[in-house]
């Protein structure tokens, strides 16, 4: 596999680490009526994260490690903010998976496309509306853009491994 595929897989893994952490915060603030939805999303991101760890190893790289905590993009004091955070997490994950779709081939490309679709659907459910072309972001000539920012934020701020945590059990700062 190419270096581009490895890099995109690492970015997707970093985004999944961030999503697992973020859903721990979401689960602690979400209204009871949406707690099952947050738990299902948390479980889905943990499964994708675990699969990506194996994928990155299969690609001949050491998987990017999760960190102890992430800086959240905004304060999450209540259920409404938790819903906004969940939608943003899904948008960021979809953005990074779109890069992996472009970089990968064969089964990995299909898995990335499936992950992109699942995140886009969850984002719509959280937000209550859709966006045109989920996961499609514009990149500048220097490689920056929303997906690059999400991957950069994930790489800089790290995230928990998800072990011992889950919706409602987030550790670290919630703002």
């Amino acid at each position: 596999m190419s270096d581009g595929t490895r890099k995109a897989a690492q970015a997707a893994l970093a985004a999944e680490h961030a999503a697992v952490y973020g859903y721990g915060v979401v689960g602690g603030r979400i209204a009871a009526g949406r707690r099952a939805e947050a738990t299902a999303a948390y479980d889905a991101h943990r499964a994708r994260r675990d699969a990506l760890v194996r994928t990155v190893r299969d690609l001949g790289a050491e998987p990017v490690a999760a960190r102890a905590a992430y800086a959240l993009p905004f304060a999450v004091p209540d259920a409404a903010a938790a819903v906004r955070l969940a939608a943003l997490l899904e948008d960021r994950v979809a953005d990074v998976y779109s890069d992996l779709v472009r970089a990968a081939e064969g089964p990995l490309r299909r898995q990335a496309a499936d992950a992109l679709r699942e995140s886009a659907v969850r984002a719509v459910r959280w937000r209550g509306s859709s966006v045109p072309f989920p996961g499609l972001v514009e990149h500048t000539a220097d490689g920056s853009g929303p997906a690059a920012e999400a991957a950069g934020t994930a790489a800089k701020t790290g995230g928990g491994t998800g072990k011992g945590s889950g919706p409602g059990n987030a550790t670290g700062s919630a703002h």
Side-chain angles (χ1 to χ4, degrees):
M1 291 278 165
S2 73
D3 285 339
T5 301
R6 278 190 284 279
K7 184 178 178 180
Q10 289 279 37
L13 176 57
E16 289 293 6
H17 285 312
V20 167
Y21 179 86
Y23 269 104
V25 174
V26 168
R29 310 293 193 292
I30 200 74
R34 296 196 80 179
R35 192 159 291 135
E37 188 176 356
T39 299
Y42 171 80
D43 290 342
H45 286 292
R46 283 185 54 201
R48 289 278 181 200
R49 177 204 62 198
D50 295 347
L52 278 167
V53 165
R54 291 185 298 274
T55 296
V56 168
R57 284 191 179 123
D58 290 346
L59 293 172
E62 182 63 27
V64 63
R67 300 196 188 186
Y70 281 94
L72 297 176
F74 50 82
V76 186
D78 56 25
V83 168
R84 285 193 321 275
L85 178 60
L88 180 63
L89 290 170
E90 296 299 347
D91 286 339
R92 288 181 174 181
V93 168
D95 287 346
V96 178
Y97 274 113
S98 71
D99 291 339
L100 186 54
V101 168
R102 284 189 292 274
E105 298 175 350
L108 180 55
R109 184 177 198 178
R110 180 64 190 170
Q111 292 164 8
D114 289 345
L116 188 159
R117 178 183 39 80
E118 290 167 10
S119 287
V121 168
R122 279 192 298 266
V124 167
R125 287 183 181 145
W126 286 118
R127 187 180 302 103
S129 63
S130 64
V131 296
F133 306 108
L136 181 62
V137 295
E138 300 212 12
H139 294 278
T140 61
D142 66 358
S144 65
E149 288 175 26
T153 299
K156 289 178 191 170
T157 59
T161 62
K163 295 178 182 172
S165 66
N169 297 325
T171 58
S173 174
H175 51 273

